[in-house]
Amino acid sequence: LTIADLTAPTVVSVSPSNDSTTIALDTTLVAQFDEDMASASINSNSFTLSSNSAVSGSIGYSQNNNIAIFTPDSSLSLATSYSATLTTAITDLYNNKIASNYSWLFTTKDGAWSAPLTVSINNKKNNSGTISFEYQNLDQLNRLIDTIKKNY
């Protein structure tokens, strides 16, 4: 007697979680399924990441935990929204497809540091001594650089 599995597999969790923010630029995406999956069905066509364009990366599957793993080939961009998608090409060991594409969104961190950084500049233009600037994120740093270019 052979009992067939006709139940579609489901995604039980993803990381980063849907709509999460301040995600590290070197993050690895993980999707966990409720049952053993056919590892060959989890590949660059069925597990994708994109922002304005596709993000290349390596894809793996751990049978021990039923997790698919997407590791980007390079760091993600600052303050950028990404969309990850698992397609219906992904199947379990009995060739049952996930019922529909599963997508989730996340946004990378904006470049803010945990504590303010200080830049000290020796003002050689008019020998007025050292000037210190404090900044906490890339926007402030860019404004600092513009100020330095104009005045020093």
Side-chain angles (χ1 to χ4, degrees):
L1 176 67
T2 302
I3 300 175
D5 174 1
L6 302 176
T7 306
T10 59
V11 177
V12 294
S13 68
V14 293
S15 176
S17 59
N18 189 38
D19 292 329
S20 57
T21 59
T22 66
I23 299 303
L25 305 181
D26 62 350
T27 195
T28 296
L29 283 69
V30 176
Q32 185 172 27
F33 298 92
D34 67 340
E35 62 179 289
D36 291 340
M37 305 301 288
S39 59
S41 72
I42 302 171
N43 54 54
S44 61
N45 294 318
S46 62
F47 191 171
T48 62
L49 178 64
S50 62
S51 57
N52 292 329
S53 60
V55 174
S56 64
S58 59
I59 289 118
Y61 179 71
S62 170
Q63 203 77 39
N64 293 337
N65 304 340
N66 301 332
I67 58 172
I69 304 160
F70 182 105
T71 305
D73 288 337
S74 58
S75 294
L76 301 178
S77 298
L78 281 172
T80 302
S81 294
Y82 288 90
S83 174
T85 302
L86 302 166
T87 72
T88 58
I90 296 175
T91 64
D92 66 13
L93 296 178
Y94 297 94
N95 209 31
N96 298 308
K97 297 179 178 186
I98 61 175
S100 61
N101 286 353
Y102 185 98
S103 295
W104 70 101
L105 306 171
F106 65 91
T107 304
T108 53
K109 65 182 184 173
D110 70 358
W113 291 273
S114 57
L117 300 176
T118 302
V119 173
S120 295
I121 299 167
N122 186 1
N123 188 349
K124 294 180 181 180
K125 189 173 185 178
N126 61 16
N127 282 331
S128 63
T130 302
I131 301 169
S132 293
F133 298 92
E134 190 175 272
Y135 59 96
Q136 273 189 281
N137 60 46
L138 287 178
D139 185 49
Q140 290 175 348
L141 178 58
N142 287 331
R143 286 192 301 238
L144 168 63
I145 291 168
D146 289 342
T147 300
I148 292 168
K149 286 178 182 177
K150 290 176 188 173
N151 300 307
Y152 303 100

